[in-house]
């Protein structure tokens, strides 16, 4: 009897092993991946420059799909269409359609085509995800929790974008006198970074003390003493009293960025609690970084301090910090001699370089933001891109939607 049961069990195992695997779990070719983005790309011509940082970032992502490789300067090179996809339709600022390149050297993409709708607002994109009208879009960090609660598949990367304050007029005091960083330090102490993360970002992000996140540098925990992530209102009040006659500060933020506006308004409240006079002011931003047209806008409107968003260009702490330092010493610390930063920077070099900047209080880290993506239920093998990485659209595949017939 036992022998018969053993034989039956063995046959059952063989029979089960012979059954085909579920097709939904098997990579398959076909289908059109629907993508929605906020920026409107006016031209795919490499010689035509983008007018905003957001447009430049979107254009870079599209370039990564249609070009095969980058040159020594990091620019995409080669013939358009030599990458995983080729352009089959383009409507400036509205829509671009890409078809799979059958001859791509790394192998044909799984999807047949990618349709990218441009100029879509954040609310529209979220609604389209909820209604299964799109497959992939970026979600603002502050909307990630609500999107997940609405049933949207959410993919959150490691926090790699720094939201910081930058004092653009050197000494923040409006009256003549030697630089002393008193106003800068007072404002830094007044800001409740934990509240920004918990309430504005809905816990999607983390407070920032240094110029690099903990997951990259491993040393971010050393900076709270110099750039506190929790507010110290009493100390801020004491410092502000030293320069109270100098007048208030004007805080500039990107007029097109809802997150910057909300954070700026929160900072004004924090400053008021510390007895400080700070006023938020919306400024149009056309430049790519501080020190270009954004810096010029700040000067024209007499902005003392600005909110900026800087994304890491590499997961490697040395490479990412080198990029940040280039922005800082050409912007808020223009004219200040930067210390030598070795190619193979040690953890000690990275720490000292950050400390040198933070001790000036001209750059005040606030929070680290992650890149957040919303995905439809039919997207498979999506890998959230990290710093310096592009959308991995050549590797994703789509399962069939039986009800709607979408492939």
């Amino acid at each position: 009897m036992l022998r018969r049961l053993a034989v039956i069990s063995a046959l059952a195992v063989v029979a089960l092993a012979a059954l085909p695997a579920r097709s939904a779990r098997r990579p398959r070719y076909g289908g059109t991946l629907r993508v929605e983005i906020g920026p409107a790309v006016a031209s795919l011509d490499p010689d035509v420059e983008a007018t905003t940082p957001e447009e430049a970032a979107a254009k870079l992502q599209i370039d990564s799909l249609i070009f095969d490789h980058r040159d020594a300067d990091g620019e995409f090179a080669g013939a358009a269409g030599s990458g995983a996809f080729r352009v089959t339709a383009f409507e400036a600022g509205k829509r671009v359609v890409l078809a799979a390149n059958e001859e791509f050297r790394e192998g044909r993409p799984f999807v047949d085509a990618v349709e990218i709708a441009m100029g879509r607002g954040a609310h529209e994109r979220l609604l389209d995800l909820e209604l299964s009208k799109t497959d992939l879009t970026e979600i603002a960090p502050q909307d990630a929790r609500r999107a997940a609660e609405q049933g949207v598949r959410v993919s959150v990367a490691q926090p790699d974008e720094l939201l910081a304050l930058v004092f653009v007029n050197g000494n923040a005091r409006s009256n003549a006198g030697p630089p002393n960083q008193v106003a800068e330090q007072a404002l830094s102490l007044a800001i409740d970074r934990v509240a920004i993360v918990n309430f504005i970002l809905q816990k999607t992000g983390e407070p920032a003390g240094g110029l690099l996140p903990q997951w990259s540098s491993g040393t971010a925990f050393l900076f709270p003493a110099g750039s506190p992530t929790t507010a110290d209102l009493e100390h801020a009040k004491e410092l502000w009293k030293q320069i109270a006659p100098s007048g208030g500060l004007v805080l500039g933020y990107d007029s097109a960025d809802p997150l910057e506006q909300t954070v700026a308004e929160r900072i004004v409240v924090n400053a008021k609690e510390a007895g400080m006079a700070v006023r938020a002011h919306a400024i149009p931003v056309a430049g790519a970084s501080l020190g270009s047209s954004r810096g010029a806008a700040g000067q024209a409107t007499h902005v003392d301090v600005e909110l900026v968003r800087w994304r890491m260009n590499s997961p490697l702490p040395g490479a990412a910090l080198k990029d940040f330092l280039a922005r800082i010493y050409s912007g808020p610390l223009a004219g200040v001699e930067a210390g030598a930063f070795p190619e193979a920077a040690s953890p000690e070099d990275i720490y000292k370089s950050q400390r040198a900047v933070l001790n000036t209080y001209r750059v005040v880290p606030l929070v680290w933001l992650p890149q957040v993506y919303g995905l439809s239920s039919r997207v498979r093998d999506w890998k959230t891109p990290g710093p310096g990485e592009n959308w991995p659209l050549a590797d994703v595949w789509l399962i069939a939607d039986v009800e709607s017939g979408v492939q």
Side-chain angles (χ1 to χ4, degrees), residues 145-166:
R145 183 173 178 176
R146 183 177 67 85
E149 291 173 349
Q150 294 295 113
V152 174
R153 284 178 62 198
V154 175
S155 173
V156 183
Q158 293 274 28
D160 64 355
E161 185 176 20
L162 179 64
L163 179 65
L165 289 178
V166 169

Side-chain angles (χ1 to χ4, degrees), residues 161-179:
E161 185 176 20
L162 179 64
L163 179 65
L165 289 178
V166 169
F167 285 83
V168 298
N169 288 335
N171 179 24
R173 300 173 63 188
S174 59
N175 60 322

Side-chain angles (χ1 to χ4, degrees), residues 162-167 181 184-194 206-212 219-232 235 239 328 351-368:
L162 179 64
L163 179 65
L165 289 178
V166 169
F167 285 83
Q181 295 92 37
E184 291 92 329
Q185 186 177 3
L187 185 57
S188 175
L189 288 166
I191 299 170
D192 190 341
R193 294 159 175 78
V194 174
E206 59 187 42
L211 297 174
L212 293 172
T219 58
F221 68 94
L222 297 173
F223 290 102
S227 299
T229 56
T230 54
D232 188 345
H235 192 187
L239 291 172
I328 291 168
Y351 171 81
K352 288 181 176 179
S353 294
Q354 292 183 78
R355 176 58 66 192
V357 171
L358 298 177
N359 284 347
T360 69
Y361 284 97
R362 298 276 287 279
V363 178
V364 179
L366 298 179
V367 295
W368 282 102

Side-chain angles (χ1 to χ4, degrees), residues 256-299:
D257 191 327
L259 176 59
E260 284 197 20
Q261 178 180 354
T262 306
V263 171
E265 292 170 351
R266 179 72 188 191
I267 291 173
V268 170
V269 173
N270 288 159
K272 185 177 181 180
E273 292 171 344
M276 301 178 64
V278 177
R279 176 172 61 87
H281 178 77
I283 54 176
V285 179
S289 63
L290 190 79
S292 59
S293 56
R294 175 164 186 156
Q299 296 287 347

Side-chain angles (χ1 to χ4, degrees), residues 11-279:
L11 290 174
V13 170
V14 172
L16 288 172
L19 291 175
R22 294 178 62 187
S23 59
R25 300 296 178 187
R26 221 190 267 161
R28 54 178 292 159
Y29 289 94
T32 296
L33 180 71
R34 305 159 302 183
V35 180
E36 291 187 5
I37 60 176
V41 178
S43 174
L44 296 181
D45 187 337
D47 296 327
V48 177
E49 293 187 3
T51 58
T52 67
E54 294 75 20
E55 182 187 359
K59 188 172 181 178
L60 181 67
Q61 293 290 2
I62 296 173
D63 284 347
S64 72
L65 300 172
I66 62 178
F67 288 97
D68 192 16
H69 64 280
R70 297 189 182 193
D71 58 24
D73 297 326
E75 300 293 332
F76 285 100
S82 60
F85 298 90
R86 55 186 177 82
V87 179
T88 58
F90 177 71
E91 297 177 52
K94 295 181 179 179
R95 174 175 172 265
V96 59
V97 180
L98 310 176
N101 181 4
E102 302 283 349
E103 306 300 325
F104 184 47
R105 62 183 178 85
E106 294 185 7
R108 182 197 188 279
F110 287 108
V111 297
D112 291 333
V114 177
E115 289 187 0
I116 303 176
M118 301 181 285
R120 302 285 289 169
H123 178 73
E124 294 175 309
R125 300 198 305 270
L126 269 179
L127 184 60
D128 285 347
L129 270 175
E130 293 169 10
L131 298 176
S132 299
K133 292 183 178 181
T134 190
D135 296 308
L136 170 67
T137 188
E138 290 188 6
I139 297 177
Q142 65 269 28
D143 294 332
R145 183 173 178 176
R146 183 177 67 85
E149 291 173 349
Q150 294 295 113
V152 174
R153 284 178 62 198
V154 175
S155 173
V156 183
Q158 293 274 28
D160 64 355
E161 185 176 20
L162 179 64
L163 179 65
L165 289 178
V166 169
F167 285 83
V168 298
N169 288 335
N171 179 24
R173 300 173 63 188
S174 59
N175 60 322
N180 53 27
Q181 295 92 37
V182 175
E184 291 92 329
Q185 186 177 3
L187 185 57
S188 175
L189 288 166
I191 299 170
D192 190 341
R193 294 159 175 78
V194 174
I196 292 175
V197 170
N198 288 343
F199 299 108
I200 296 178
L201 294 175
Q202 294 292 294
K203 299 184 179 181
T204 305
E206 59 187 42
L211 297 174
L212 293 172
Q214 177 66 22
W215 67 264
S216 175
S217 68
T219 58
F221 68 94
L222 297 173
F223 290 102
S227 299
T229 56
T230 54
D232 188 345
L233 295 180
E234 292 305 316
H235 192 187
K237 289 178 181 178
E238 293 174 3
L239 291 172
W240 186 253
K241 287 179 181 178
Q242 300 177 23
I243 57 171
S246 65
L249 301 177
V250 178
L251 168 60
Y253 64 89
D254 182 351
S255 60
D257 191 327
L259 176 59
E260 284 197 20
Q261 178 180 354
T262 306
V263 171
E265 292 170 351
R266 179 72 188 191
I267 291 173
V268 170
V269 173
N270 288 159
K272 185 177 181 180
E273 292 171 344
M276 301 178 64
V278 177
R279 176 172 61 87

